[in-house]
Amino acid sequence: MVVSDNGTELTSNAILKWQEERRVEWHYIAPGKPMQNGFVESFNGRLRDECLL
């Protein structure tokens, strides 16, 4: 199972196709509730800072 926010990093067609093909459950946190998954928010922040300049 993957838990993520609704950000653009993890909503691409390639990611959605990958998850569907592998039957991975995908759950989104509620909009405006980033602390429902603090790890994801922290990871996304680092990803933006280090890789998505």
Side-chain angles (χ1 to χ4, degrees):
M1 174 175 42
V2 175
V3 178
S4 71
D5 63 7
N6 292 304
T8 57
E9 298 90 352
L10 297 171
T11 57
S12 71
N13 288 332
I15 292 284
L16 296 176
K17 181 180 177 187
W18 173 88
Q19 118 352 264
E20 185 176 313
E21 289 172 350
R22 287 160 181 79
R23 298 182 184 176
V24 174
E25 288 185 51
W26 204 282
H27 297 277
Y28 293 100
I29 63 173
K33 303 285 185 186
M35 291 317 297
Q36 286 183 352
N37 194 344
F39 176 78
V40 168
E41 292 301 312
S42 176
F43 172 79
N44 286 348
R46 286 193 307 273
L47 180 71
R48 280 187 208 98
D49 292 344
E50 296 177 18
C51 301
L52 303 175
L53 302 173

